[in-house]
Amino acid sequence: MYTERELVEKVAGGNEAAYKELFTRYWDQIYSTALMFTKSPEMSEDMAQEVFARIWIKREKLKEVVRFDAFLFITARNLIFDQLRQKVFTYEYGLYLTEYFKDPALSPCDSIELKEMERIIRQGIHLLTPQQQTAFCLSRFQGLKHEEIAIQMGISKESVKSHIVRAISSLRKYLNDHSDPLAILVWIMLMK
């Protein structure tokens, strides 16, 4: 059995057996982290597999990593937040949240909090100017890059950036004024 450093060095060198051992050694930790955020075993499994796929693809960069456990956690956290951010307010994730909050183990308050959170965030977006709404929604909910948004909206890339920055600032103020902790948590996930 290798030490963590030896294992990481072997994976960085392309050793598939070492990669399998790394996968086995850290799978439960990454899966559990994803499950804590998503509450979905299927989604957590997909995310954990994606984390390990990315590690293999970028294995040569592992030579620069000093603390693999910290690197692994940050990689997982960033992927989880990216995935959740992409799913927030999509039809598919809306269905997931609806099912999640129907869970009999959850209190009726959880369902009310979800509806209130959605209402507050949608109301904040509705208060943005039309240009800010469009740029923000294309960026955050459809995952388009500034260049793509600029083409779609028929404006410059700098204007897109300006609209998004102003939208984020307005929404942050709106959410702070309404001080709903759950809405602010979702907001933080959207903005990462």
Side-chain angles (χ1 to χ4, degrees):
M1 196 148 187
Y2 300 112
T3 67
E4 180 181 273
R5 184 73 242 153
E6 293 169 334
L7 194 59
V8 170
E9 286 175 6
K10 290 191 175 293
V11 172
N15 184 315
E16 290 182 29
Y19 173 73
K20 287 177 185 173
E21 184 176 329
L22 185 87
F23 182 94
T24 303
R25 190 181 290 188
Y26 291 100
W27 171 264
D28 289 341
Q29 179 183 347
I30 298 305
Y31 175 80
S32 298
T33 300
L35 188 60
M36 181 178 66
F37 284 103
T38 66
K39 311 290 190 233
S40 164
E42 297 83 17
M43 194 181 297
S44 299
E45 188 171 324
D46 290 345
M47 287 181 183
Q49 288 175 355
E50 179 66 23
V51 167
F52 285 103
R54 286 184 182 187
I55 286 172
W56 180 252
I57 290 167
K58 296 182 179 186
R59 63 188 172 272
E60 292 177 1
K61 293 186 178 188
L62 291 175
K63 295 173 186 172
E64 304 163 11
V65 173
V66 177
R67 288 195 51 219
F68 181 74
D69 58 339
F71 170 79
L72 184 63
F73 175 77
I74 290 167
T75 301
R77 182 200 63 192
N78 291 343
L79 176 76
I80 290 164
F81 283 166
D82 286 346
Q83 296 275 334
L84 289 175
R85 185 180 327 117
Q86 290 173 6
K87 291 188 180 296
V88 171
F89 295 121
T90 63
Y91 177 75
E92 173 188 314
Y93 198 63
L95 291 176
Y96 163 72
L97 286 176
T98 301
E99 289 303 312
Y100 176 76
F101 280 94
K102 282 183 183 175
D103 185 339
L106 298 172
S107 71
C109 290
D110 293 329
S111 181
I112 292 168
E113 284 179 9
L114 174 64
K115 288 182 175 141
E116 180 65 10
M117 173 192 67
E118 288 176 349
R119 185 191 66 75
I120 289 171
I121 292 173
R122 290 187 191 282
Q123 189 173 20
I125 292 171
H126 181 70
L127 294 174
L128 299 172
T129 67
Q131 291 283 77
Q132 289 174 359
Q133 282 183 32
T134 302
F136 178 82
C137 291
L138 289 173
S139 171
R140 295 310 192 255
F141 303 143
Q142 294 184 24
L144 298 182
K145 296 182 180 181
H146 289 186
E147 297 84 13
E148 297 168 317
I149 297 168
I151 293 168
Q152 190 164 334
M153 292 180 68
I155 59 176
S156 71
K157 182 179 159 186
E158 291 75 26
S159 294
V160 169
K161 183 176 180 179
S162 175
H163 287 309
I164 292 172
V165 166
R166 285 185 286 176
I168 290 170
S169 177
S170 295
L171 285 168
R172 183 175 290 132
K173 182 179 179 340
Y174 182 82
L175 290 176
N176 283 336
D177 290 347
H178 288 79
S179 66
D180 183 295
L182 191 54
I184 292 171
L185 174 63
V186 171
W187 171 250
I188 289 167
M189 288 172 51
L190 283 170
M191 296 307 108
K192 291 251 183 219

